[in-house]
Amino acid sequence: MSLIRAHRLARRTATAGVTLLTAAALGTAGATASSADTAAPQTRQIASSVLGSTYKITLTAVRSTQDEYAASVRMQVYTHTTGAWKESDRVTVGEADGWFWYPLTGDGAVCEFSTASTEPAPVAVSLLVTPSIGCSGPAHYVVKQGKVYAG
């Protein structure tokens, strides 16, 4: 085999090897990105209230997977059955991704969260929009037999 032919063969082998390594790296990066897209969104409980032995109501900030600054607020109702709290209903407070993550998870995020141990149980929620804007108007709900209804 001539020296020129051996050099060309070595160069082709090296190029093929680099191409395979690049394809493998891109495949791994794509798999990592797709698994990151399917990861559960970041959440933070911002308020909770237990109404006797009947209901537990929580407010949770859920960070948007589309916009790092946006968030939703989830209100969950739990009923106490067979010795444990079990979720009986959930609603989104306001619009999905209609809140800002940082004000919701900072100091003073909950302006009002009032509940009462009656049947139906009234719930009022007001949250900080931003420090400069202030608090949202209160959203009113009632919890009746473990289900949430607009109030």
Side-chain angles (χ1 to χ4, degrees):
M1 180 183 281
S2 75
L3 188 55
I4 294 173
R5 206 182 249 171
H7 177 71
R8 285 184 187 157
L9 181 60
R11 198 169 81 198
R12 283 184 193 149
T13 304
T15 302
V18 168
T19 302
L20 283 173
L21 286 174
T22 302
L26 289 174
T28 302
T32 302
S34 98
S35 66
D37 290 342
T38 59
Q42 185 178 359
T43 62
R44 185 163 308 150
Q45 185 173 310
I46 56 176
S48 180
S49 178
V50 177
L51 308 179
S53 61
T54 309
Y55 301 123
K56 178 167 77 168
I57 301 171
T58 63
L59 295 178
T60 303
V62 181
R63 196 170 199 168
S64 172
T65 57
Q66 307 300 313
D67 177 352
E68 68 179 301
Y69 299 108
S72 299
V73 176
R74 179 175 61 215
M75 181 170 73
Q76 292 171 275
V77 176
Y78 298 87
T79 55
H80 198 264
T81 56
T82 62
W85 291 106
K86 299 205 188 297
E87 183 180 326
S88 59
D89 202 8
R90 71 170 57 188
V91 296
T92 300
V93 176
E95 305 233 351
D97 290 347
W99 301 95
F100 294 104
W101 174 254
Y102 291 104
L104 269 184
T105 57
D107 291 337
V110 180
C111 303
E112 178 185 359
F113 180 51
S114 63
T115 60
S117 293
T118 60
E119 184 67 38
V123 178
V125 178
S126 174
L127 303 168
L128 184 64
V129 178
T130 68
S132 60
I133 293 173
C135 298
S136 69
H140 296 279
Y141 303 92
V142 291
V143 177
K144 186 175 181 178
Q145 297 177 346
K147 299 294 181 197
V148 180
Y149 300 93

mmCIF file of all heavy atoms in Angstrom, residues 93-139:
data_model
loop_
_atom_site.group_PDB
_atom_site.id
_atom_site.type_symbol
_atom_site.label_atom_id
_atom_site.label_comp_id
_atom_site.label_asym_id
_atom_site.label_seq_id
_atom_site.Cartn_x
_atom_site.Cartn_y
_atom_site.Cartn_z
ATOM 1 N N VAL A 93 -56.476 28.373 40.467
ATOM 2 C CA VAL A 93 -56.881 29.699 40.923
ATOM 3 C C VAL A 93 -56.403 30.696 39.868
ATOM 4 O O VAL A 93 -55.208 30.771 39.584
ATOM 5 C CB VAL A 93 -56.275 30.032 42.300
ATOM 6 C CG1 VAL A 93 -56.634 31.448 42.721
ATOM 7 C CG2 VAL A 93 -56.728 29.021 43.347
ATOM 8 N N GLY A 94 -57.323 31.439 39.281
ATOM 9 C CA GLY A 94 -56.953 32.360 38.206
ATOM 10 C C GLY A 94 -56.671 31.579 36.930
ATOM 11 O O GLY A 94 -57.125 30.450 36.754
ATOM 12 N N GLU A 95 -55.877 32.183 36.068
ATOM 13 C CA GLU A 95 -55.551 31.565 34.778
ATOM 14 C C GLU A 95 -54.306 30.688 34.883
ATOM 15 O O GLU A 95 -53.409 30.995 35.674
ATOM 16 C CB GLU A 95 -55.293 32.663 33.746
ATOM 17 C CG GLU A 95 -56.441 33.628 33.629
ATOM 18 C CD GLU A 95 -56.911 33.800 32.214
ATOM 19 O OE1 GLU A 95 -56.246 33.308 31.293
ATOM 20 O OE2 GLU A 95 -57.960 34.434 32.057
ATOM 21 N N ALA A 96 -54.258 29.645 34.077
ATOM 22 C CA ALA A 96 -53.056 28.812 34.013
ATOM 23 C C ALA A 96 -51.895 29.679 33.528
ATOM 24 O O ALA A 96 -52.043 30.432 32.559
ATOM 25 C CB ALA A 96 -53.273 27.635 33.063
ATOM 26 N N ASP A 97 -50.768 29.600 34.222
ATOM 27 C CA ASP A 97 -49.573 30.407 33.940
ATOM 28 C C ASP A 97 -49.879 31.910 33.993
ATOM 29 O O ASP A 97 -49.189 32.709 33.366
ATOM 30 C CB ASP A 97 -48.942 30.040 32.589
ATOM 31 C CG ASP A 97 -48.298 28.670 32.606
ATOM 32 O OD1 ASP A 97 -48.120 28.094 33.704
ATOM 33 O OD2 ASP A 97 -47.970 28.160 31.512
ATOM 34 N N GLY A 98 -50.880 32.286 34.768
ATOM 35 C CA GLY A 98 -51.280 33.679 34.868
ATOM 36 C C GLY A 98 -50.672 34.436 36.032
ATOM 37 O O GLY A 98 -51.014 35.589 36.269
ATOM 38 N N TRP A 99 -49.766 33.808 36.764
ATOM 39 C CA TRP A 99 -49.111 34.417 37.916
ATOM 40 C C TRP A 99 -47.616 34.477 37.664
ATOM 41 O O TRP A 99 -47.116 33.822 36.749
ATOM 42 C CB TRP A 99 -49.384 33.600 39.188
ATOM 43 C CG TRP A 99 -50.832 33.464 39.502
ATOM 44 C CD1 TRP A 99 -51.656 32.435 39.159
ATOM 45 C CD2 TRP A 99 -51.648 34.390 40.221
ATOM 46 N NE1 TRP A 99 -52.926 32.664 39.617
ATOM 47 C CE2 TRP A 99 -52.952 33.859 40.272
ATOM 48 C CE3 TRP A 99 -51.405 35.621 40.825
ATOM 49 C CZ2 TRP A 99 -53.998 34.507 40.910
ATOM 50 C CZ3 TRP A 99 -52.443 36.263 41.459
ATOM 51 C CH2 TRP A 99 -53.729 35.718 41.499
ATOM 52 N N PHE A 100 -46.902 35.219 38.497
ATOM 53 C CA PHE A 100 -45.450 35.280 38.401
ATOM 54 C C PHE A 100 -44.840 34.393 39.488
ATOM 55 O O PHE A 100 -45.222 34.478 40.656
ATOM 56 C CB PHE A 100 -44.949 36.716 38.556
ATOM 57 C CG PHE A 100 -45.388 37.612 37.427
ATOM 58 C CD1 PHE A 100 -46.414 38.523 37.608
ATOM 59 C CD2 PHE A 100 -44.778 37.526 36.184
ATOM 60 C CE1 PHE A 100 -46.825 39.341 36.571
ATOM 61 C CE2 PHE A 100 -45.182 38.334 35.137
ATOM 62 C CZ PHE A 100 -46.215 39.245 35.334
ATOM 63 N N TRP A 101 -43.905 33.541 39.107
ATOM 64 C CA TRP A 101 -43.297 32.567 40.010
ATOM 65 C C TRP A 101 -42.640 33.226 41.229
ATOM 66 O O TRP A 101 -42.877 32.830 42.356
ATOM 67 C CB TRP A 101 -42.284 31.704 39.253
ATOM 68 C CG TRP A 101 -41.519 30.770 40.141
ATOM 69 C CD1 TRP A 101 -40.208 30.888 40.528
ATOM 70 C CD2 TRP A 101 -42.006 29.579 40.775
ATOM 71 N NE1 TRP A 101 -39.861 29.843 41.345
ATOM 72 C CE2 TRP A 101 -40.938 29.029 41.509
ATOM 73 C CE3 TRP A 101 -43.235 28.923 40.790
ATOM 74 C CZ2 TRP A 101 -41.069 27.863 42.252
ATOM 75 C CZ3 TRP A 101 -43.365 27.758 41.524
ATOM 76 C CH2 TRP A 101 -42.288 27.238 42.250
ATOM 77 N N TYR A 102 -41.807 34.214 41.010
ATOM 78 C CA TYR A 102 -41.033 34.763 42.119
ATOM 79 C C TYR A 102 -41.897 35.475 43.171
ATOM 80 O O TYR A 102 -41.720 35.229 44.367
ATOM 81 C CB TYR A 102 -39.884 35.638 41.602
ATOM 82 C CG TYR A 102 -38.836 34.797 40.908
ATOM 83 C CD1 TYR A 102 -38.734 34.779 39.521
ATOM 84 C CD2 TYR A 102 -37.998 33.969 41.642
ATOM 85 C CE1 TYR A 102 -37.803 33.975 38.885
ATOM 86 C CE2 TYR A 102 -37.054 33.167 41.009
ATOM 87 C CZ TYR A 102 -36.967 33.165 39.640
ATOM 88 O OH TYR A 102 -36.045 32.364 39.013
ATOM 89 N N PRO A 103 -42.847 36.322 42.792
ATOM 90 C CA PRO A 103 -43.716 36.880 43.836
ATOM 91 C C PRO A 103 -44.529 35.812 44.562
ATOM 92 O O PRO A 103 -44.743 35.897 45.775
ATOM 93 C CB PRO A 103 -44.633 37.839 43.064
ATOM 94 C CG PRO A 103 -43.860 38.203 41.844
ATOM 95 C CD PRO A 103 -43.062 36.974 41.507
ATOM 96 N N LEU A 104 -44.969 34.783 43.832
ATOM 97 C CA LEU A 104 -45.784 33.726 44.446
ATOM 98 C C LEU A 104 -45.017 32.909 45.470
ATOM 99 O O LEU A 104 -45.608 32.341 46.384
ATOM 100 C CB LEU A 104 -46.278 32.735 43.386
ATOM 101 C CG LEU A 104 -47.615 32.996 42.736
ATOM 102 C CD1 LEU A 104 -47.958 31.857 41.799
ATOM 103 C CD2 LEU A 104 -48.711 33.238 43.724
ATOM 104 N N THR A 105 -43.727 32.823 45.313
ATOM 105 C CA THR A 105 -42.936 31.975 46.207
ATOM 106 C C THR A 105 -42.093 32.793 47.182
ATOM 107 O O THR A 105 -41.270 32.236 47.899
ATOM 108 C CB THR A 105 -42.035 31.029 45.382
ATOM 109 O OG1 THR A 105 -41.201 31.797 44.517
ATOM 110 C CG2 THR A 105 -42.868 30.061 44.560
ATOM 111 N N GLY A 106 -42.321 34.100 47.200
ATOM 112 C CA GLY A 106 -41.576 34.963 48.105
ATOM 113 C C GLY A 106 -42.396 35.347 49.323
ATOM 114 O O GLY A 106 -43.515 34.868 49.532
ATOM 115 N N ASP A 107 -41.822 36.240 50.126
ATOM 116 C CA ASP A 107 -42.512 36.735 51.318
ATOM 117 C C ASP A 107 -43.766 37.510 50.923
ATOM 118 O O ASP A 107 -43.750 38.275 49.962
ATOM 119 C CB ASP A 107 -41.590 37.644 52.132
ATOM 120 C CG ASP A 107 -40.456 36.882 52.787
ATOM 121 O OD1 ASP A 107 -40.605 35.651 52.984
ATOM 122 O OD2 ASP A 107 -39.427 37.497 53.093
ATOM 123 N N GLY A 108 -44.825 37.326 51.673
ATOM 124 C CA GLY A 108 -46.055 38.067 51.439
ATOM 125 C C GLY A 108 -46.828 37.627 50.220
ATOM 126 O O GLY A 108 -47.659 38.375 49.702
ATOM 127 N N ALA A 109 -46.579 36.424 49.736
ATOM 128 C CA ALA A 109 -47.241 35.939 48.521
ATOM 129 C C ALA A 109 -48.745 35.761 48.708
ATOM 130 O O ALA A 109 -49.519 35.982 47.782
ATOM 131 C CB ALA A 109 -46.627 34.616 48.079
ATOM 132 N N VAL A 110 -49.153 35.349 49.890
ATOM 133 C CA VAL A 110 -50.573 35.104 50.144
ATOM 134 C C VAL A 110 -51.135 36.312 50.886
ATOM 135 O O VAL A 110 -50.799 36.560 52.045
ATOM 136 C CB VAL A 110 -50.778 33.809 50.959
ATOM 137 C CG1 VAL A 110 -52.253 33.569 51.222
ATOM 138 C CG2 VAL A 110 -50.163 32.623 50.224
ATOM 139 N N CYS A 111 -51.959 37.074 50.196
ATOM 140 C CA CYS A 111 -52.563 38.269 50.801
ATOM 141 C C CYS A 111 -53.781 37.875 51.636
ATOM 142 O O CYS A 111 -54.021 38.467 52.686
ATOM 143 C CB CYS A 111 -52.973 39.251 49.712
ATOM 144 S SG CYS A 111 -51.604 39.738 48.633
ATOM 145 N N GLU A 112 -54.537 36.902 51.152
ATOM 146 C CA GLU A 112 -55.701 36.408 51.891
ATOM 147 C C GLU A 112 -55.914 34.941 51.552
ATOM 148 O O GLU A 112 -55.859 34.548 50.392
ATOM 149 C CB GLU A 112 -56.961 37.197 51.502
ATOM 150 C CG GLU A 112 -58.218 36.711 52.186
ATOM 151 C CD GLU A 112 -59.485 37.422 51.712
ATOM 152 O OE1 GLU A 112 -59.399 38.316 50.850
ATOM 153 O OE2 GLU A 112 -60.554 37.060 52.201
ATOM 154 N N PHE A 113 -56.114 34.157 52.577
ATOM 155 C CA PHE A 113 -56.501 32.756 52.414
ATOM 156 C C PHE A 113 -57.399 32.450 53.606
ATOM 157 O O PHE A 113 -56.926 32.150 54.700
ATOM 158 C CB PHE A 113 -55.282 31.837 52.390
ATOM 159 C CG PHE A 113 -55.606 30.378 52.223
ATOM 160 C CD1 PHE A 113 -56.430 29.935 51.202
ATOM 161 C CD2 PHE A 113 -55.067 29.436 53.087
ATOM 162 C CE1 PHE A 113 -56.715 28.588 51.046
ATOM 163 C CE2 PHE A 113 -55.343 28.082 52.938
ATOM 164 C CZ PHE A 113 -56.159 27.660 51.919
ATOM 165 N N SER A 114 -58.694 32.610 53.402
ATOM 166 C CA SER A 114 -59.611 32.406 54.515
ATOM 167 C C SER A 114 -60.505 31.216 54.224
ATOM 168 O O SER A 114 -60.938 30.994 53.095
ATOM 169 C CB SER A 114 -60.440 33.672 54.778
ATOM 170 O OG SER A 114 -61.248 33.966 53.667
ATOM 171 N N THR A 115 -60.732 30.448 55.265
ATOM 172 C CA THR A 115 -61.570 29.253 55.180
ATOM 173 C C THR A 115 -62.450 29.201 56.423
ATOM 174 O O THR A 115 -62.186 29.905 57.397
ATOM 175 C CB THR A 115 -60.707 27.975 55.116
ATOM 176 O OG1 THR A 115 -59.900 27.911 56.299
ATOM 177 C CG2 THR A 115 -59.807 27.958 53.897
ATOM 178 N N ALA A 116 -63.470 28.371 56.371
ATOM 179 C CA ALA A 116 -64.339 28.204 57.541
ATOM 180 C C ALA A 116 -64.798 26.753 57.605
ATOM 181 O O ALA A 116 -65.021 26.114 56.576
ATOM 182 C CB ALA A 116 -65.540 29.135 57.463
ATOM 183 N N SER A 117 -64.929 26.250 58.823
ATOM 184 C CA SER A 117 -65.341 24.859 59.038
ATOM 185 C C SER A 117 -66.859 24.723 59.027
ATOM 186 O O SER A 117 -67.464 24.325 60.004
ATOM 187 C CB SER A 117 -64.790 24.351 60.373
ATOM 188 O OG SER A 117 -63.405 24.272 60.327
ATOM 189 N N THR A 118 -67.452 25.063 57.910
ATOM 190 C CA THR A 118 -68.897 24.892 57.760
ATOM 191 C C THR A 118 -69.140 24.029 56.533
ATOM 192 O O THR A 118 -68.216 23.726 55.785
ATOM 193 C CB THR A 118 -69.602 26.260 57.580
ATOM 194 O OG1 THR A 118 -69.089 26.883 56.405
ATOM 195 C CG2 THR A 118 -69.381 27.157 58.786
ATOM 196 N N GLU A 119 -70.359 23.620 56.328
ATOM 197 C CA GLU A 119 -70.702 22.858 55.116
ATOM 198 C C GLU A 119 -71.835 23.594 54.437
ATOM 199 O O GLU A 119 -72.918 23.675 55.002
ATOM 200 C CB GLU A 119 -71.110 21.427 55.483
ATOM 201 C CG GLU A 119 -71.389 20.523 54.301
ATOM 202 C CD GLU A 119 -70.174 20.185 53.437
ATOM 203 O OE1 GLU A 119 -69.069 19.985 53.961
ATOM 204 O OE2 GLU A 119 -70.347 20.125 52.217
ATOM 205 N N PRO A 120 -71.629 24.211 53.294
ATOM 206 C CA PRO A 120 -70.388 24.242 52.524
ATOM 207 C C PRO A 120 -69.352 25.165 53.166
ATOM 208 O O PRO A 120 -69.701 26.097 53.882
ATOM 209 C CB PRO A 120 -70.828 24.773 51.165
ATOM 210 C CG PRO A 120 -72.065 25.561 51.428
ATOM 211 C CD PRO A 120 -72.724 24.930 52.618
ATOM 212 N N ALA A 121 -68.086 24.892 52.865
ATOM 213 C CA ALA A 121 -66.974 25.650 53.447
ATOM 214 C C ALA A 121 -66.554 26.751 52.480
ATOM 215 O O ALA A 121 -66.108 26.460 51.372
ATOM 216 C CB ALA A 121 -65.802 24.721 53.725
ATOM 217 N N PRO A 122 -66.706 28.022 52.888
ATOM 218 C CA PRO A 122 -66.261 29.105 52.004
ATOM 219 C C PRO A 122 -64.735 29.231 52.013
ATOM 220 O O PRO A 122 -64.090 29.007 53.034
ATOM 221 C CB PRO A 122 -66.917 30.340 52.622
ATOM 222 C CG PRO A 122 -67.075 29.993 54.066
ATOM 223 C CD PRO A 122 -67.292 28.507 54.121
ATOM 224 N N VAL A 123 -64.178 29.597 50.855
ATOM 225 C CA VAL A 123 -62.739 29.812 50.725
ATOM 226 C C VAL A 123 -62.545 31.091 49.923
ATOM 227 O O VAL A 123 -63.171 31.267 48.875
ATOM 228 C CB VAL A 123 -62.043 28.637 49.998
ATOM 229 C CG1 VAL A 123 -60.553 28.897 49.838
ATOM 230 C CG2 VAL A 123 -62.295 27.321 50.707
ATOM 231 N N ALA A 124 -61.686 31.982 50.400
ATOM 232 C CA ALA A 124 -61.323 33.197 49.670
ATOM 233 C C ALA A 124 -59.808 33.210 49.501
ATOM 234 O O ALA A 124 -59.079 32.926 50.448
ATOM 235 C CB ALA A 124 -61.795 34.442 50.407
ATOM 236 N N VAL A 125 -59.359 33.548 48.285
ATOM 237 C CA VAL A 125 -57.930 33.552 47.978
ATOM 238 C C VAL A 125 -57.570 34.852 47.271
ATOM 239 O O VAL A 125 -58.197 35.219 46.279
ATOM 240 C CB VAL A 125 -57.551 32.361 47.062
ATOM 241 C CG1 VAL A 125 -56.072 32.407 46.705
ATOM 242 C CG2 VAL A 125 -57.918 31.041 47.693
ATOM 243 N N SER A 126 -56.569 35.547 47.790
ATOM 244 C CA SER A 126 -55.990 36.719 47.145
ATOM 245 C C SER A 126 -54.473 36.554 47.216
ATOM 246 O O SER A 126 -53.932 36.251 48.280
ATOM 247 C CB SER A 126 -56.428 38.002 47.860
ATOM 248 O OG SER A 126 -55.744 39.113 47.317
ATOM 249 N N LEU A 127 -53.813 36.744 46.080
ATOM 250 C CA LEU A 127 -52.366 36.514 45.999
ATOM 251 C C LEU A 127 -51.642 37.735 45.469
ATOM 252 O O LEU A 127 -52.224 38.554 44.747
ATOM 253 C CB LEU A 127 -52.091 35.312 45.088
ATOM 254 C CG LEU A 127 -52.776 34.015 45.492
ATOM 255 C CD1 LEU A 127 -52.690 32.986 44.379
ATOM 256 C CD2 LEU A 127 -52.170 33.476 46.765
ATOM 257 N N LEU A 128 -50.381 37.839 45.804
ATOM 258 C CA LEU A 128 -49.544 38.936 45.343
ATOM 259 C C LEU A 128 -49.292 38.790 43.845
ATOM 260 O O LEU A 128 -48.783 37.769 43.388
ATOM 261 C CB LEU A 128 -48.211 38.932 46.106
ATOM 262 C CG LEU A 128 -47.254 40.067 45.810
ATOM 263 C CD1 LEU A 128 -47.863 41.407 46.245
ATOM 264 C CD2 LEU A 128 -45.934 39.834 46.525
ATOM 265 N N VAL A 129 -49.657 39.824 43.093
ATOM 266 C CA VAL A 129 -49.378 39.822 41.657
ATOM 267 C C VAL A 129 -47.909 40.171 41.460
ATOM 268 O O VAL A 129 -47.141 39.403 40.889
ATOM 269 C CB VAL A 129 -50.305 40.808 40.908
ATOM 270 C CG1 VAL A 129 -49.971 40.842 39.420
ATOM 271 C CG2 VAL A 129 -51.765 40.429 41.117
ATOM 272 N N THR A 130 -47.520 41.339 41.915
ATOM 273 C CA THR A 130 -46.117 41.773 42.004
ATOM 274 C C THR A 130 -46.053 42.762 43.165
ATOM 275 O O THR A 130 -47.083 43.316 43.553
ATOM 276 C CB THR A 130 -45.607 42.481 40.720
ATOM 277 O OG1 THR A 130 -46.289 43.733 40.578
ATOM 278 C CG2 THR A 130 -45.771 41.630 39.476
ATOM 279 N N PRO A 131 -44.872 43.017 43.711
ATOM 280 C CA PRO A 131 -44.792 43.994 44.795
ATOM 281 C C PRO A 131 -45.297 45.387 44.385
ATOM 282 O O PRO A 131 -45.917 46.082 45.182
ATOM 283 C CB PRO A 131 -43.304 44.027 45.141
ATOM 284 C CG PRO A 131 -42.820 42.658 44.767
ATOM 285 C CD PRO A 131 -43.597 42.308 43.521
ATOM 286 N N SER A 132 -45.068 45.802 43.143
ATOM 287 C CA SER A 132 -45.512 47.131 42.724
ATOM 288 C C SER A 132 -47.007 47.170 42.410
ATOM 289 O O SER A 132 -47.655 48.181 42.628
ATOM 290 C CB SER A 132 -44.702 47.616 41.513
ATOM 291 O OG SER A 132 -44.867 46.730 40.435
ATOM 292 N N ILE A 133 -47.573 46.088 41.914
ATOM 293 C CA ILE A 133 -49.012 46.044 41.606
ATOM 294 C C ILE A 133 -49.814 45.772 42.870
ATOM 295 O O ILE A 133 -50.867 46.342 43.094
ATOM 296 C CB ILE A 133 -49.317 44.979 40.527
ATOM 297 C CG1 ILE A 133 -48.704 45.405 39.199
ATOM 298 C CG2 ILE A 133 -50.818 44.751 40.392
ATOM 299 C CD1 ILE A 133 -48.797 44.371 38.104
ATOM 300 N N GLY A 134 -49.318 44.895 43.704
ATOM 301 C CA GLY A 134 -50.031 44.543 44.930
ATOM 302 C C GLY A 134 -50.799 43.242 44.782
ATOM 303 O O GLY A 134 -50.444 42.387 43.967
ATOM 304 N N CYS A 135 -51.854 43.107 45.552
ATOM 305 C CA CYS A 135 -52.607 41.851 45.630
ATOM 306 C C CYS A 135 -53.708 41.786 44.590
ATOM 307 O O CYS A 135 -54.274 42.808 44.195
ATOM 308 C CB CYS A 135 -53.222 41.703 47.020
ATOM 309 S SG CYS A 135 -51.972 41.615 48.309
ATOM 310 N N SER A 136 -54.039 40.571 44.209
ATOM 311 C CA SER A 136 -55.162 40.341 43.298
ATOM 312 C C SER A 136 -56.463 40.546 44.056
ATOM 313 O O SER A 136 -56.483 40.524 45.295
ATOM 314 C CB SER A 136 -55.110 38.908 42.757
ATOM 315 O OG SER A 136 -55.389 37.977 43.805
ATOM 316 N N GLY A 137 -57.520 40.714 43.328
ATOM 317 C CA GLY A 137 -58.833 40.707 43.960
ATOM 318 C C GLY A 137 -59.098 39.305 44.477
ATOM 319 O O GLY A 137 -58.550 38.326 43.948
ATOM 320 N N PRO A 138 -59.911 39.159 45.502
ATOM 321 C CA PRO A 138 -60.142 37.820 46.054
ATOM 322 C C PRO A 138 -60.970 36.944 45.107
ATOM 323 O O PRO A 138 -61.903 37.422 44.471
ATOM 324 C CB PRO A 138 -60.893 38.082 47.361
ATOM 325 C CG PRO A 138 -61.490 39.443 47.204
ATOM 326 C CD PRO A 138 -60.613 40.199 46.252
ATOM 327 N N ALA A 139 -60.569 35.685 45.017
ATOM 328 C CA ALA A 139 -61.344 34.668 44.293
ATOM 329 C C ALA A 139 -62.117 33.892 45.361
ATOM 330 O O ALA A 139 -61.540 33.515 46.388
ATOM 331 C CB ALA A 139 -60.420 33.753 43.516
#
